[in-house]
Amino acid sequence: MKAAFLPDRGVVKVSGDDARNFLNGLVTTDMTKVHPGLGRFGALLTPQGKITFDFLITEAQPGHGGGFLIDCPLPLAQPLATKLGFYKLRAKVTVDNISSTLGVLAAWDGEPAMHPDLTFADPRSDKLGWRILAPEELAARAANVIGAELVESADYEAHRIAAGVPSGGTDFTFGDAFPHETNMDRLHGVDFDKGCYVGQEVVSRMEHRGTARSRIVRVLLDGGAPEAGTAVVAADKPVGTMGSSAADQGLALLRLDRAADAIEAGIALAAGGVPIRVADPDDLKLPAKKTVA
């Protein structure tokens, strides 16, 4: 088993009597399903349905002060805390950026020998393993307790990419992508049965009408690794944008129909002069419209 402290992740705490209901009215995940030892994947959207923040969230045990702990990109921890504070109005809620005292350890390729407090399975994919919220100075001790070898964060990034799980800010731009485009619907990040939340109407419409035309897909690289943001082209016609990459694998946000048409016509895809291949052609299939019985 391997574990890595993730220096690019921060933690925001939301506590108070109204915390659960407050968050449930804002985010894409069902907060009634979040409990100590259990995490969920979710996002805060614009009213137009685009992702402004995505995160993992769990509930802290009473011994850790209770409340909800949000594992989010470190550069967005304070903006997220500020945005949530803007929404709270008269709700009995306290929002704090606690990234200076609590960080994120990822563990994968095995079952922890024990589960320290603030440990939960990564809800996005079984391949991603576990998250442990702990101070950076305790990362080595936590890795030892769970029976894992402590490795570099770059090792986790390579594992995440191989698992086909996007990372906001690298694989897509915050404020410019819908949840379906980033596969949140496939990674258990959107609960379509819960009540209203910010941007819910747009997301539900995309789900039922099958209007998602772009997706982040896993690609195989036949050469060097293109920089994130490099255009993906088919015979010089743009079909998408390259995201993160490691070794011979990467993630790319592709326009599904254009990429599929190019491949069917025998036209190779490339990014920055590097040939790329879609790892799973089924990823290019357009979503089916849902019918009402």
Side-chain angles (χ1 to χ4, degrees), residues 9 99 111 131 158 162 201 212 227 290:
R9 303 294 291 184
S99 303
E111 180 73 22
R131 308 288 272 206
E201 183 177 347
E227 290 187 8
K290 296 189 176 181

Side-chain angles (χ1 to χ4, degrees), residues 60 65 93 128 176 204 252 270 274 284:
V93 169
L128 290 186
D176 194 41
S204 293
V274 176
L284 298 180

Side-chain angles (χ1 to χ4, degrees), residues 28 45-50 178-180 190-192 194-209 211:
T28 60
L45 310 179
T46 67
Q48 294 75 33
K50 295 190 175 183
F178 293 105
H180 285 79
V190 181
D191 193 308
F192 294 102
K194 65 171 285 187
C196 294
Y197 55 87
V198 176
Q200 182 261 348
E201 183 177 347
V202 176
V203 175
S204 293
R205 187 183 309 126
M206 292 187 74
E207 172 72 4
H208 291 286
R209 295 184 180 178
T211 54

Side-chain angles (χ1 to χ4, degrees), residues 100-126:
S100 61
T101 59
L102 202 62
V104 179
L105 185 77
W108 67 99
D109 285 350
E111 180 73 22
M114 65 169 293
H115 292 187
D117 289 347
L118 307 183
T119 297
F120 60 95
D122 193 313
R124 296 171 293 179
S125 168
D126 292 341

Side-chain angles (χ1 to χ4, degrees), residues 129-274:
W130 303 83
R131 308 288 272 206
I132 302 169
L133 306 185
E136 182 174 9
E137 61 269 19
L138 297 182
R141 182 185 301 179
N144 183 63
V145 165
I146 66 173
E149 173 192 4
L150 189 64
V151 297
E152 298 297 321
S153 59
D155 295 306
Y156 173 77
E157 284 300 293
H159 179 71
R160 174 188 65 77
I161 293 166
V165 178
S167 176
T170 303
D171 296 307
F172 64 91
T173 302
F174 287 109
D176 194 41
F178 293 105
H180 285 79
E181 294 178 326
T182 70
N183 300 327
M184 286 194 70
D185 56 322
R186 299 175 177 175
L187 297 171
H188 318 294
V190 181
D191 193 308
F192 294 102
D193 297 320
K194 65 171 285 187
C196 294
Y197 55 87
V198 176
Q200 182 261 348
E201 183 177 347
V202 176
V203 175
S204 293
R205 187 183 309 126
M206 292 187 74
E207 172 72 4
H208 291 286
R209 295 184 180 178
T211 54
R213 291 292 179 264
S214 298
R215 286 271 185 185
I216 291 176
V217 303
R218 189 165 62 89
V219 296
L220 305 177
L221 310 174
D222 295 332
E227 290 187 8
T230 301
V232 177
V233 298
D236 297 327
K237 294 182 179 179
V239 298
T241 305
M242 194 68 201
S244 54
S245 58
D248 61 349
Q249 299 194 63
L251 299 175
L253 177 61
L254 300 182
R255 175 68 184 252
L256 302 179
D257 53 350
R258 295 174 184 172
D261 289 346
I263 292 171
E264 185 176 354
I267 302 173
L269 306 183
V274 176

Side-chain angles (χ1 to χ4, degrees), residues 264-288:
E264 185 176 354
I267 302 173
L269 306 183
V274 176
I276 68 174
R277 292 173 289 123
V278 175
D280 185 353
D282 285 344
D283 287 342
L284 298 180
K285 291 182 178 179
L286 290 170

